[in-house]
Amino acid sequence: MGAVTITRNALPETEWRERAGRHEARVDALVADHLRRRRAGERHPVEDFLFTYYNLKPSQLRRWHPGVGTALLGEGARTRLDERFYAEADGAVVLDTRAFVDARPVLGFVERLLESVASRPAHLGCFGLHEWAMVYRTTEVRHGQVPLRLGHAGTDRVVESHRVQCSHFDAYRFFTEPARPLNALRPTRESQADLDQPGCLHANMDLYKWAYKLAPAVPSELVVDCFELSKDIRVLDMRASPYDLADWGYPPVRIETAEGKAAYMEAQSAFAERGAVLRERLLRVCRDLREQDPRDL
């Protein structure tokens, strides 16, 4: 066994089982529609993104973990000892911090990225043009079952009449080749910590990715908080996209109009505020891990 967690909170078995039950019920409600569609072989252009682009399975999201600094008491906690990164200390079950840090080289990158984004002001006004740039001057679209709201020519005109300024690499890398030179920035994976900023929808959606990549050190309640933020942002992302999703129950945010731009920026600002709170909570997990295993990450 490696270095184990400095325990700040010890949960009796009745309490941690209650927390685990609440978490499981919460996740069950969030993933029920997705699981029903999957069984029926149906696809959803908005909600499936959270289970295809992000690779955490619903069953993994449902598994409850207390997170770093919390010990589980009681005989039932011993079943956790069969799981990776759990160890016994002073009669309780805790996170084996050293084993976790050794197995998660991404930890240092995540901490630096979160700190960098948190240090910057939110830049608004990109208007979700990344989705438009992904279908610029092409007939090959990602959501073939959904029509383009303005058609191909109208979509191209929107891109050409705006300043495209996408800073997020994982959005930019899906731009069509004709769209890439139109972007004001050239984001790369190496420049991600230098360019990501707290107003970016995708940077805030990715809080979910960083949360589950640091599980089980991240409390599962925080992972689901990040999932819910990502889910809500995805709706805006697609409502502001060139796709016509009215038949799916998503009225468009018409970012090609002044009213649509204002609505987009208002929602973008609210998501930036929610993201800032979750980013700080994730940073607290990173700092707790560093405090308990102070080797260079």
Side-chain angles (χ1 to χ4, degrees), residues 11-22 64 72-77:
L11 298 179
E13 186 162 353
T14 53
E15 186 174 339
W16 64 256
R17 285 192 180 278
E18 182 181 351
R19 276 182 58 180
R22 288 198 304 267
W64 179 78
L72 302 181
L73 304 176
E75 187 61 29

Side-chain angles (χ1 to χ4, degrees), residues 23-277:
H23 167 78
E24 291 166 358
R26 182 185 179 192
V27 172
D28 286 345
L30 286 169
V31 305
D33 287 344
H34 168 73
L35 294 178
R36 175 190 55 77
R37 287 192 302 270
R38 190 173 70 181
R39 289 191 294 269
E42 300 172 357
R43 297 171 60 192
H44 196 289
V46 179
E47 296 182 8
D48 285 349
F49 180 84
L50 297 172
F51 304 97
T52 54
Y53 178 79
Y54 297 113
N55 58 17
L56 192 72
K57 298 176 182 178
S59 59
Q60 294 170 312
L61 181 64
R62 191 178 190 270
R63 181 61 168 155
W64 179 78
H65 299 284
V68 63
T70 297
L72 302 181
L73 304 176
E75 187 61 29
R78 296 185 60 81
T79 61
R80 295 285 177 132
L81 296 175
D82 295 328
E83 298 180 36
R84 194 180 184 194
F85 303 129
Y86 282 99
E88 188 174 11
D90 299 325
V93 174
V94 296
L95 182 77
D96 186 334
T97 308
R98 172 150 293 192
F100 177 83
V101 171
D102 284 345
R104 289 291 188 273
V106 73
L107 175 59
F109 168 78
V110 173
E111 184 177 13
R112 289 189 295 273
L113 177 64
L114 296 175
E115 286 179 339
S116 296
V117 175
S119 71
R120 300 186 181 111
H123 296 291
L124 310 178
C126 65
F127 307 123
L129 285 166
H130 56 276
E131 287 288 344
W132 299 71
M134 293 177 192
V135 296
Y136 178 67
R137 292 192 180 181
T138 184
T139 58
E140 297 179 7
V141 297
R142 293 194 304 158
H143 303 290
Q145 77 272 38
V146 183
L148 297 177
R149 184 166 54 81
L150 303 179
H152 287 284
T155 298
D156 293 348
R157 284 193 294 272
V158 170
V159 175
E160 292 163 357
S161 64
H162 287 77
R163 184 173 186 265
V164 185
Q165 47 187 342
C166 179
S167 60
H168 191 67
F169 172 69
D170 284 314
Y172 174 73
R173 67 190 177 97
F174 291 107
F175 280 26
T176 64
E177 287 301 323
R180 287 176 176 249
L182 302 180
N183 197 41
L185 300 168
R186 297 291 181 271
T188 63
R189 180 69 68 207
E190 292 72 26
S191 66
Q192 186 170 4
D194 298 320
L195 292 180
D196 270 8
Q197 53 89 15
C200 171
L201 294 191
H202 279 262
N204 287 318
M205 289 181 75
D206 278 353
L207 292 172
Y208 171 53
K209 175 171 66 176
W210 306 131
Y212 72 68
K213 281 186 177 292
L214 297 185
V218 175
S220 291
E221 291 89 348
L222 176 52
V223 178
V224 181
D225 287 345
C226 292
F227 176 90
E228 288 189 322
L229 174 63
S230 187
K231 185 175 187 291
D232 292 344
I233 291 175
R234 175 63 176 172
V235 172
L236 174 66
D237 201 30
M238 293 304 288
R239 287 182 62 205
S241 79
Y243 297 100
D244 186 351
L245 292 158
D247 289 345
W248 295 81
Y250 301 98
V253 176
R254 303 179 188 275
I255 57 93
E256 71 276 15
T257 69
E259 295 79 8
K261 285 180 171 64
Y264 184 91
M265 291 179 67
E266 182 179 3
Q268 189 179 22
S269 178
F271 286 136
E273 292 178 6
R274 286 175 62 184
V277 174

